């Protein structure tokens, strides 16, 4: 196989042009190939002399793309390393951006060929750049390549830094939405990352606040998808979707109102409400790819949480049996399932047939929950203040007692 061997006298970019063009025209025969190779080489030389770096990059990536399937990973990486390095020759942000678009668009064009290496090339290009918008464009192409090339595992770790990236890029709300949706699409490729996928869809939906109805309507599809993902996920029992304007708009849409109603049931109501909903909408679950058995199981756990949130801290077995719509012998099984899912901390008093709850999860953390938290923190603050006051008072009393005892001792002498 032909390998790149640049000489000390030849510019690395020209060596790449010679290598790729010779390989691209190899099957045409010497009489056709040699003039074409010479023409491309001459164009590259002229671009270097005139500092037309965008033209040079365009020429190089076109040739590199034509031969990418014919060369080794090492040669492809070397080729793009030299191509990417050309962005350092330019100071104009606009020209850098155009060069980046030219490179990145070719790198992602054949995702089935050396996908992990292509992703590495984009990462290397990203690290060469100083311009925030150019970095953003490269990252978006990397997300696209990760999905199409089925190499999402290499980009998922970067999602932990996304808040830092957004700050560095200084992009507007529209671009932020694009990022959140692209990341959610990557995460959907892995079923074990359903929770993380929902988090980024939620971030996307949270960017819509006081927009008019037309702008909000852009989020309808993702709002429906988020609700379905939440309902379908067996290990996600809490979300912040209910009060978001992008989600709440569904309630007024005749086509999407049932989806919003289902979310409301899963976050605020019990199994009996779900059963009524299902009976009234018999084809709903199938339409959205939901399984009735899974929905009932999740609603039983959420109904148990609702019972556990009672301030008395006790749930009778009879109440559990009726609310969960299970046989008496299944009551403890569902309590154990709730404990395993970390929805409740409790003890089962079999003799008295009650469950004693010490902690339970919140199904929805909205205004009511914030107010409750505020009240608890205020009470905690007051208790701490009282404890400090008591300690200080005891300290003063103790010091006074010691002083009195000392004075009495001196008087005795």
């Amino acid at each position: 196989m032909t390998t790149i061997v640049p000489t000390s006298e030849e510019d690395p970019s020209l060596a790449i042009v010679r290598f790729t063009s010779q390989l691209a025209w190899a099957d045409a025969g010497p009489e056709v190939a040699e003039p074409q190779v010479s023409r491309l080489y001459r164009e590259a030389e002229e671009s270097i002399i005139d500092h037309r770096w965008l033209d040079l990059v365009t020429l190089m990536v076109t040739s590199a793309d034509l031969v990418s399937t014919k060369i080794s990973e090492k040669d492809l990486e070397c080729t793009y390393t030299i191509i990417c390095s050309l962005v350092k020759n330019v100071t104009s942000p606009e020209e850098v951006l155009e060069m980046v678009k030219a490179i990145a668009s070719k790198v992602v064009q054949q995702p089935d060929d050396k996908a992990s290496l292509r992703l590495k090339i984009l990462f290397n290009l990203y690290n060469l750049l100083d311009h925030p918008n150019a970095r953003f464009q490269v990252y978006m192409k990397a997300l696209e390549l990760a999905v199409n090339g089925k190499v999402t595992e290499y980009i998922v770790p970067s999602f932990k830094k996304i808040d830092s990236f957004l700050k560095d890029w200084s992009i507007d709300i529209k671009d932020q939405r694009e990022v959140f949706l692209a990341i959610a699409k990557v995460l959907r490729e892995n079923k074990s990352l359903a929770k993380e996928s929902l988090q980024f869809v939620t971030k996307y939906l949270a960017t819509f606040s006081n927009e008019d109805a037309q702008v909000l309507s852009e989020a309808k599809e993702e709002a429906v998808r988020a609700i379905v993902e939440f309902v379908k996920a067996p290990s996600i029992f809490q979300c912040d979707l209910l009060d978001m304007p992008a989600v709440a708009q569904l309630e007024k849409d005749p086509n999407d109102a049932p989806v919003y109603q289902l979310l409301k049931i899963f976050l605020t109501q019990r199994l009996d409400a779900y059963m009524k909903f299902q009976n009234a909408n018999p084809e709903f679950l199938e339409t959205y790819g939901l399984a009735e058995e899974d929905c009932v199981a999740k609603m039983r756990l959420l109904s148990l949480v609702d019972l556990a949130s009672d301030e008395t801290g006790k749930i009778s077995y009879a109440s559990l049996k009726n609310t969960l719509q299970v046989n008496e012998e299944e009551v403890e099984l569902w309590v154990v399932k709730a404990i395993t899912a970390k929805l409740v901390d409790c003890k089962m008093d079999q003799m008295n047939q009650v469950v004693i709850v010490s902690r339970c999860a919140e199904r929805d953390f909205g205004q009511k929950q914030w107010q409750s938290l505020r009240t608890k923190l205020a009470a905690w603050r007051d208790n701490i203040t009282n404890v400090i006051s008591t300690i200080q008072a005891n300290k003063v009393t103790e010091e006074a007692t010691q002083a009195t005892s000392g004075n009495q001792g001196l008087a005795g002498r």
Side-chain angles (χ1 to χ4, degrees):
M1 180 178 286
T2 306
T3 303
I4 304 170
V5 185
T7 64
S8 57
E9 295 83 10
E10 190 173 37
D11 185 285
S13 297
L14 295 177
I16 293 298
V17 171
R18 183 189 299 280
F19 168 71
T20 56
S21 58
Q22 285 177 343
L23 200 54
W25 288 94
D27 296 335
E31 292 182 0
V32 176
E34 288 180 8
Q36 293 296 334
V37 172
S38 297
R39 176 183 63 82
L40 292 169
Y41 193 90
R42 187 168 58 255
E43 287 181 14
E45 279 186 312
E46 291 172 356
S47 295
I48 292 173
I49 293 170
D50 297 338
H51 291 184
R52 290 185 285 108
W53 304 114
L54 177 58
D55 291 342
L56 179 61
V57 161
T58 302
L59 185 155
M60 293 176 72
V61 294
T62 301
S63 296
D65 186 59
L66 290 173
V67 302
S68 63
T69 58
K70 301 177 182 179
I71 61 179
S72 67
E73 288 198 357
K74 181 180 179 181
D75 282 345
L76 184 62
E77 183 175 5
C78 177
T79 296
Y80 271 102
T81 296
I82 293 172
I83 293 173
C84 291
S85 69
L86 294 174
V87 299
K88 304 300 286 185
N89 293 340
V90 178
T91 56
S92 165
E94 291 76 16
E95 191 171 356
V96 169
L97 187 58
E98 290 304 312
M99 291 173 70
V100 162
K101 288 180 178 179
I103 297 169
S105 62
K106 287 297 183 182
V107 172
V108 304
Q109 200 160 293
Q110 299 186 60
D112 296 329
D113 175 49
K114 307 177 182 72
S116 59
L117 173 60
R118 289 174 180 273
L119 196 59
K120 180 182 178 182
I121 289 168
L122 289 179
F123 289 156
N124 290 340
L125 174 59
Y126 183 97
N127 291 328
L128 280 171
L129 298 169
D130 298 319
H131 191 263
N133 195 27
R135 282 190 156 198
F136 163 65
Q137 297 294 337
V138 173
Y139 191 79
M140 293 304 295
K141 285 295 183 182
L143 292 173
E144 176 188 332
L145 177 61
V147 174
N148 295 337
K150 302 186 187 308
V151 286
T152 55
E153 66 272 19
Y154 296 110
I155 200 167
V156 168
S158 71
F159 297 164
K160 295 178 181 178
K161 301 178 181 178
I162 197 64
D163 289 337
S164 174
F165 291 164
L166 292 175
K167 186 177 179 181
D168 291 342
W169 298 335
S170 298
I171 55 178
D172 60 24
I173 287 293
K174 187 176 179 180
D175 285 336
Q176 287 182 38
R177 290 170 182 164
E178 190 178 348
V179 172
F180 294 145
L181 285 184
I183 291 176
K185 186 177 181 180
V186 170
L187 292 168
R188 286 191 195 110
E189 296 294 305
N190 189 331
K191 291 183 179 180
S192 67
L193 298 175
K195 184 175 183 179
E196 289 77 7
S197 173
L198 182 58
Q199 286 175 346
F200 278 97
V201 176
T202 302
K203 282 176 178 286
Y204 163 78
L205 295 172
T207 63
F208 295 86
S209 53
N210 299 318
E211 284 83 359
D212 58 34
Q214 185 175 355
V215 175
L216 276 178
S217 65
E218 297 175 9
K220 276 189 178 181
E221 183 179 344
E222 289 303 325
V224 171
R225 188 198 298 271
I227 293 171
V228 172
E229 285 184 4
F230 167 70
V231 172
K232 188 180 292 187
S235 60
I236 304 177
F237 299 95
Q238 190 179 49
C239 72
D240 302 322
L241 296 171
L242 195 61
D243 296 327
M244 290 183 176
V247 178
Q249 67 174 323
L250 301 179
E251 189 175 21
K252 300 176 182 178
D253 188 319
N255 296 323
D256 297 323
V259 184
Y260 184 81
Q261 186 182 352
L262 183 65
L263 175 66
K264 205 167 186 178
I265 289 171
F266 268 76
L267 290 177
T268 65
Q269 299 178 50
R270 297 182 180 179
L271 181 61
D272 58 340
Y274 169 77
M275 299 306 294
K276 289 178 182 177
F277 172 86
Q278 175 55 17
N279 291 333
N281 304 274
E283 298 178 359
F284 179 87
L285 297 186
E286 185 178 352
T287 302
Y288 290 95
L290 298 168
E292 182 177 2
E293 183 180 350
D294 295 339
C295 289
V296 170
K298 187 167 182 174
M299 274 306 303
R300 280 183 174 140
L301 290 171
L302 290 169
S303 299
L304 193 154
V305 170
D306 200 50
L307 287 171
S309 63
D310 190 332
E311 292 182 4
T312 62
K314 291 183 179 181
I315 319 170
S316 68
Y317 278 33
S319 181
L320 283 167
K321 174 179 175 295
N322 294 332
T323 302
L324 305 189
Q325 300 181 23
V326 296
N327 298 325
E328 191 173 336
E329 57 270 21
E330 294 180 283
V331 168
E332 292 187 355
L333 171 65
W334 283 98
V335 173
V336 171
K337 285 184 178 181
I339 294 171
T340 303
K342 298 182 179 179
L343 292 172
V344 295
D345 289 335
C346 62
K347 293 180 181 179
M348 288 179 279
D349 185 344
Q350 294 176 321
M351 183 171 293
N352 294 309
Q353 295 283 283
V354 295
V355 175
I356 303 170
V357 180
S358 56
R359 180 202 67 85
C360 73
E362 294 284 356
R363 294 169 67 181
D364 176 45
F365 210 90
Q367 189 62 36
K368 180 182 176 182
Q369 287 72 29
W370 280 114
Q371 184 58 48
S372 175
L373 179 60
R374 188 179 293 111
T375 301
K376 289 177 181 178
L377 286 173
W380 176 79
R381 181 192 60 197
D382 292 342
N383 289 337
I384 293 296
T385 301
N386 291 335
V387 169
I388 293 173
S389 297
T390 301
I391 291 173
Q392 290 175 339
N394 289 340
K395 186 177 180 181
V396 170
T397 302
E398 185 179 348
E399 289 174 350
T401 302
Q402 289 177 349
T404 302
S405 298
N407 290 335
Q408 289 175 350
L410 290 172
R413 292 176 188 176

